[in-house]
């Protein structure tokens, strides 16, 4: 349908704009979603093509969101929310929420980002907290956030 094609185009321009402001201009990651939201409406099909080529046809935005039409393929084995991860297991971060700038600043500071490896240290639904180890140390997340961070299994 026309609506779906337009929606995919909007998502594609938004995610390419996020990549552009981060990868080319070095904008801090937690500011990329807002900036891309301003830019997505101004990107013509010709500019979209130039941006995509300049970036080397990325398949995801900096937050792990698939770019429509890029040839993105889901990780084999699928993805699960952090809230369902198993204690003692290492995972690769596949995707993080991008709409909440304050949360994103926290995720960036804790290195909970796509292509980073995390380990599940403790998970306590009764206390509502999951503790993970990242390359910056240990961090605790509530289950509401953990439902919105997507993980893939990593090969041992």
């Amino acid at each position: 349908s026309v609506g779906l094609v337009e929606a995919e185009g909007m998502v594609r321009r938004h995610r390419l704009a996020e990549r552009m402001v981060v990868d080319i201009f070095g904008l801090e990651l937690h500011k990329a979603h807002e900036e891309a939201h301003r830019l997505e409406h101004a990107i013509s099909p010709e500019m979209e093509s130039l941006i995509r080529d300049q970036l080397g046809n990325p398949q995801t935005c900096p937050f792990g969101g698939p770019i429509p039409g890029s040839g993105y393929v889901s990780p084999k084995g699928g993805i699960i929310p952090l809230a369902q991860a198993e204690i003692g297991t290492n995972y690769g971060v596949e995707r993080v929420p991008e709409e909440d700038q304050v949360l994103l600043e926290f995720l960036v500071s804790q290195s909970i980002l796509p292509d980073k490896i995390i380990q599940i240290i403790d998970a306590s639904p009764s206390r509502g907290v999951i503790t993970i180890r990242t390359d910056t140390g240990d961090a605790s997340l509530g289950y509401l956030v953990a439902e919105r961070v997507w993980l893939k299994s990593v090969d041992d």
Side-chain angles (χ1 to χ4, degrees), residues 18-86:
E18 287 174 334
R19 269 275 166 227
M20 177 180 70
V21 298
V22 171
D23 295 1
I24 295 176
F25 297 109
L27 185 71
E28 292 168 278
L29 195 54
H30 69 272
K31 297 178 181 173
H33 177 72
E34 287 297 314
E35 200 58 50
H37 191 63
R38 293 184 190 103
L39 289 169
E40 70 193 33
H41 305 285
I43 297 175
S44 68
E46 185 178 9
M47 269 315 289
E48 180 185 321
S49 179
L50 291 169
I51 292 166
R52 189 180 56 241
D53 292 349
Q54 185 69 39
L55 292 168
N57 191 31
Q59 296 190 343
T60 63
C61 76
F63 310 104
I67 295 175
S70 69
Y72 171 83
V73 178
S74 296
K76 63 178 201 275
I79 59 176
I80 61 164
L82 172 55
Q84 294 174 19
E86 294 179 29

Side-chain angles (χ1 to χ4, degrees), residues 73-113:
V73 178
S74 296
K76 63 178 201 275
I79 59 176
I80 61 164
L82 172 55
Q84 294 174 19
E86 294 179 29
I87 295 172
T89 305
N90 291 333
Y91 294 92
V93 178
E94 177 70 10
R95 188 171 181 180
V96 297
E98 62 189 80
E99 314 78 38
D100 182 336
Q101 197 167 349
V102 176
L103 172 58
L104 199 52
E105 254 182 290
F106 170 77
L107 296 174
V108 169
S109 74
Q110 298 301 316
S111 202
I112 303 168
L113 293 168

